[in-house]
Amino acid sequence: MKIITSPKEVQEFLKYKKNIGFVPTMGALHEGHLSLIKKAREENEIVVVSIFVNPTQFLPGEDLDKYPRRLQADFEICKRAGVDLVFTPNSENMYSEDEILIKAPKIKGYILEGFFRPGHFDGVLQVVNKLFNIVRPNRAYFGKKDAQQLYLIKQMVKNFFFDIEIVECKTVREKDGLALSSRNIYLSEEERKRALTISKALKRAAKLSTNIKDIETIKKEMENILNVDELQYIAFVDRDFNYINEIIPNNTIILIAAKVGETRLIDNIWL
Amino acid sequence: MKIITSPKEVQEFLKYKKNIGFVPTMGALHEGHLSLIKKAREENEIVVVSIFVNPTQFLPGEDLDKYPRRLQADFEICKRAGVDLVFTPNSENMYSEDEILIKAPKIKGYILEGFFRPGHFDGVLQVVNKLFNIVRPNRAYFGKKDAQQLYLIKQMVKNFFFDIEIVECKTVREKDGLALSSRNIYLSEEERKRALTISKALKRAAKLSTNIKDIETIKKEMENILNVDELQYIAFVDRDFNYINEIIPNNTIILIAAKVGETRLIDNIWL
């Protein structure tokens, strides 16, 4: 397994390679990432994983400094999963002064996650655009857990005419339902228990939606289940992130963002 | 010679092609464009020319509607120059609603041309980014006449990690010195004569600069020569578009922007 820090070296290494699968990550790899890597391994000749805690997608006051970093363990996980190349750039070789910037779309980049983290998606799209040009993959793997990010990356692929297939991968959960996240390690035992009410509320909503189409009724039921410290949103959107008033079968995503203690968690379910 | 309107078809046509030279234009081709095309023809197996009057780089009130369009004549010129593919997209297949946007760098995208045409470079970079991803050229050809645009495109290539060589091509002039521009057709005979003072002032500045390094002295001399209706700027920058106070040999660009009648003209000289 190759480990490369320099973007130019990655471009040289991959220059004549075909059939490249790419999994961009911020490291602290868990079973969720591993499921993306495994899928990429099945579907491509070359598998590239990037590990980069991208500073431009963190807002001032967010957890950039304490975000978990464990590069050696990540390398081990990648090696065992049959990754061909791990790309570990640093801020110095990814960014320069007075950069050309990318702005997330005015509407869908600034609702929900974009409303609570304004500018977050600008940074996400900025780094993913760079990574796509460096790696030039045939397929790139993203989790459905970051549903709005996934939607915006698909829009970037369309708007920027990237010849890349975006593979949507299902959220991996603990046995009790908690969606895997590198941020789960921030939770105390008590907080972790209450965090479980997020996935429970989503599961309950999915069940209700087979009979009830009215969103307000479902939302109330969800609020009864939730035991969080700050509920930021419960939202119902279609696959293109348009708000909807009624459940549309096969075209609804229900999303929750909430703080449990100091930890901000997001989760969703696709109907 | 192929003529294609659809971005997807261009991507298919070029998919397995190697050694692609690309000349992006807004059409109304003149000898300036032709010199880029000829250079591309010499240096590449496949030559692609795009013709697209990109609406997002025109400001409200600018000449988008009256910008010269003569597609049939352009096709003839391309054919005779041995172009392999002319790409003629339209706004509908290049742009969609609520787009992901590109912002020119805060400083160098908003001085000089960017100051007088705020947002112009956002639109230029937006369309060139799309075109680069559609065509994926090995080399792309730009004229030195649009010096700031050339600088910003080189910065985009760097910031976005495009694996593209930007070939800088020298400004083509009429025998009397007037820099070729599709906008020259707007000039009356009398205006055209006065427009000549722009290239004369630049030529004089270049001559003076062999002895005089002080910019203010040179600038005064230039102002004496110029006979325009609105002088927007005379500027002295280095190759990276940092303002300079003294002529730096082999690293100075002197730029002029001025209106003659209603026509806005730009020109420059590289020392």
Side-chain angles (χ1 to χ4, degrees):
Chain A
M1 185 181 77
K2 267 262 185 199
I3 298 169
I4 302 182
T5 302
S6 146
K8 291 274 162 229
E9 274 176 47
V10 170
Q11 286 180 314
E12 265 160 50
F13 180 76
L14 296 173
K15 196 154 186 132
Y16 300 105
K17 302 280 196 296
K18 274 169 193 164
N19 208 347
I20 299 169
F22 177 44
V23 183
T25 82
M26 299 211 298
L29 303 180
H30 51 61
E31 288 292 327
H33 300 106
L34 197 56
S35 77
L36 309 183
I37 295 170
K38 279 179 183 161
K39 199 157 193 197
R41 183 67 283 166
E42 284 165 27
E43 299 179 350
N44 302 276
E45 272 170 52
I46 304 283
V47 174
V48 181
V49 172
S50 66
I51 299 177
F52 178 52
V53 182
N54 172 42
T56 68
Q57 72 189 68
F58 288 80
L59 271 62
E62 285 189 349
D63 57 346
L64 173 60
D65 292 335
K66 69 165 187 169
Y67 195 87
R69 287 160 172 89
R70 27 171 200 256
L71 216 44
Q72 290 311 319
D74 291 344
F75 289 158
E76 268 312 303
I77 290 166
C78 288
K79 214 167 170 177
R80 265 183 268 138
V83 169
D84 299 290
L85 168 63
V86 180
F87 175 39
T88 55
N90 51 47
S91 293
E92 287 66 39
N93 55 28
M94 287 295 271
Y95 292 105
S96 59
E97 295 260 299
D98 200 24
E99 279 247 338
I100 291 167
L101 299 172
I102 290 181
K103 291 295 284 178
K106 279 179 192 149
I107 300 165
K108 289 169 187 174
Y110 287 86
I111 57 171
L112 303 169
E113 284 306 285
F115 179 81
F116 284 94
R117 306 180 71 187
H120 166 66
F121 288 123
D122 299 354
V124 169
L125 297 174
Q126 181 183 31
V127 77
V128 173
N129 177 56
K130 285 173 195 267
L131 291 169
F132 278 1
N133 276 337
I134 294 166
V135 175
R136 291 176 88 156
N138 301 84
R139 275 164 287 278
Y141 296 78
F142 291 88
K144 284 182 168 181
K145 179 169 171 289
D146 294 300
Q148 194 174 0
Q149 168 179 286
L150 176 58
Y151 166 75
L152 290 172
I153 282 165
K154 282 167 67 184
Q155 203 195 316
M156 183 166 75
V157 165
K158 202 178 118 198
N159 287 170
F160 287 11
F161 295 96
F162 277 114
D163 192 12
I164 299 173
E165 181 194 343
I166 301 300
V167 184
E168 308 184 343
C169 301
K170 121 179 165 209
T171 302
V172 178
R173 298 177 182 281
E174 305 273 12
K175 270 190 189 139
D176 56 12
L178 186 70
L180 293 193
S181 162
S182 304
R183 289 185 170 104
N184 288 350
I185 56 157
Y186 301 153
L187 297 167
S188 73
E189 209 176 318
E190 183 271 338
E191 287 167 348
R192 198 191 168 289
K193 264 181 206 158
R194 290 195 290 118
L196 269 183
T197 62
I198 296 172
S199 55
K200 272 184 190 148
L202 289 168
K203 225 173 159 181
R204 177 79 182 133
K207 205 168 180 186
L208 287 172
S209 72
T210 56
N211 294 316
I212 305 165
K213 300 296 160 208
D214 176 59
I215 272 160
E216 287 310 313
T217 316
I218 296 174
K219 208 168 163 181
K220 256 175 214 147
E221 193 80 11
M222 292 171 77
E223 283 165 348
N224 287 336
I225 292 166
L226 285 167
N227 182 5
V228 297
D229 294 305
E230 184 192 330
L231 177 59
Q232 294 191 333
Y233 60 78
I234 297 176
F236 295 73
V237 298
D238 66 13
R239 295 281 189 272
D240 291 324
F241 270 78
N242 299 303
Y243 286 111
I244 52 176
N245 295 316
E246 290 213 325
I247 300 287
I248 313 168
N250 301 313
N251 191 17
T252 297
I253 309 172
I254 312 179
L255 308 117
I256 296 178
K259 275 189 166 180
V260 180
E262 285 305 302
T263 307
R264 191 174 179 282
L265 299 170
I266 61 171
D267 199 356
N268 59 66
I269 200 158
W270 297 45
L271 309 177
Chain B
M1 186 180 78
K2 268 262 185 200
I3 298 170
I4 302 181
T5 302
S6 144
K8 291 273 162 228
E9 275 176 47
V10 170
Q11 286 180 315
E12 265 160 50
F13 180 78
L14 295 174
K15 196 154 186 130
Y16 300 106
K17 303 278 196 296
K18 274 168 193 165
N19 207 347
I20 299 169
F22 177 45
V23 184
T25 82
M26 298 211 299
L29 303 179
H30 52 59
E31 289 292 327
H33 301 106
L34 197 56
S35 77
L36 308 183
I37 295 171
K38 280 179 181 162
K39 199 157 192 196
R41 183 67 284 167
E42 285 165 26
E43 298 178 351
N44 303 275
E45 272 169 53
I46 303 282
V47 174
V48 181
V49 172
S50 67
I51 298 178
F52 179 52
V53 183
N54 171 42
T56 68
Q57 71 190 70
F58 288 80
L59 270 64
E62 286 189 349
D63 57 346
L64 173 61
D65 292 333
K66 68 165 186 167
Y67 194 87
R69 286 158 173 90
R70 28 173 200 255
L71 216 46
Q72 290 311 318
D74 290 345
F75 289 158
E76 268 313 303
I77 290 166
C78 289
K79 214 166 170 177
R80 266 183 267 139
V83 170
D84 298 289
L85 168 63
V86 180
F87 175 39
T88 56
N90 51 47
S91 293
E92 287 65 39
N93 55 29
M94 287 295 271
Y95 292 106
S96 59
E97 295 260 298
D98 200 25
E99 280 248 336
I100 291 167
L101 298 171
I102 290 181
K103 292 295 285 178
K106 278 181 194 149
I107 299 165
K108 288 169 187 173
Y110 287 86
I111 58 171
L112 303 169
E113 283 306 285
F115 180 80
F116 284 94
R117 307 180 70 188
H120 166 66
F121 288 123
D122 299 354
V124 170
L125 298 174
Q126 183 183 30
V127 78
V128 172
N129 178 55
K130 285 173 194 267
L131 290 169
F132 278 1
N133 276 338
I134 294 166
V135 177
R136 291 176 88 155
N138 301 85
R139 276 165 287 278
Y141 296 78
F142 291 88
K144 285 182 168 181
K145 178 167 172 290
D146 294 301
Q148 194 174 358
Q149 167 179 287
L150 175 58
Y151 166 75
L152 290 172
I153 283 166
K154 283 165 68 183
Q155 204 195 315
M156 183 168 74
V157 165
K158 202 178 119 199
N159 287 169
F160 287 12
F161 295 97
F162 277 114
D163 192 13
I164 299 174
E165 182 193 343
I166 300 300
V167 183
E168 309 184 343
C169 301
K170 114 179 170 210
T171 302
V172 178
R173 297 175 183 281
E174 304 273 11
K175 268 188 190 142
D176 57 12
L178 186 71
L180 294 193
S181 162
S182 304
R183 289 186 170 104
N184 289 350
I185 56 157
Y186 300 154
L187 297 168
S188 73
E189 209 177 317
E190 182 271 339
E191 286 168 349
R192 198 191 169 290
K193 263 181 206 158
R194 291 195 289 118
L196 269 183
T197 62
I198 296 173
S199 55
K200 270 182 191 149
L202 288 167
K203 223 170 160 183
R204 178 80 181 129
K207 204 167 179 186
L208 287 173
S209 72
T210 56
N211 293 316
I212 305 165
K213 301 294 159 212
D214 176 58
I215 272 161
E216 287 309 313
T217 316
I218 296 174
K219 207 170 165 180
K220 258 177 211 142
E221 192 80 12
M222 292 171 78
E223 282 164 349
N224 287 337
I225 292 166
L226 285 168
N227 181 6
V228 296
D229 294 305
E230 185 193 330
L231 177 58
Q232 295 191 334
Y233 59 79
I234 297 177
F236 295 73
V237 298
D238 66 14
R239 295 283 189 271
D240 291 324
F241 269 79
N242 299 303
Y243 287 111
I244 53 176
N245 294 318
E246 291 214 323
I247 300 288
I248 313 167
N250 302 312
N251 190 16
T252 296
I253 309 173
I254 312 180
L255 309 117
I256 296 178
K259 276 190 165 180
V260 181
E262 284 307 304
T263 308
R264 190 173 181 282
L265 299 170
I266 61 169
D267 198 357
N268 59 66
I269 200 159
W270 297 46
L271 309 178

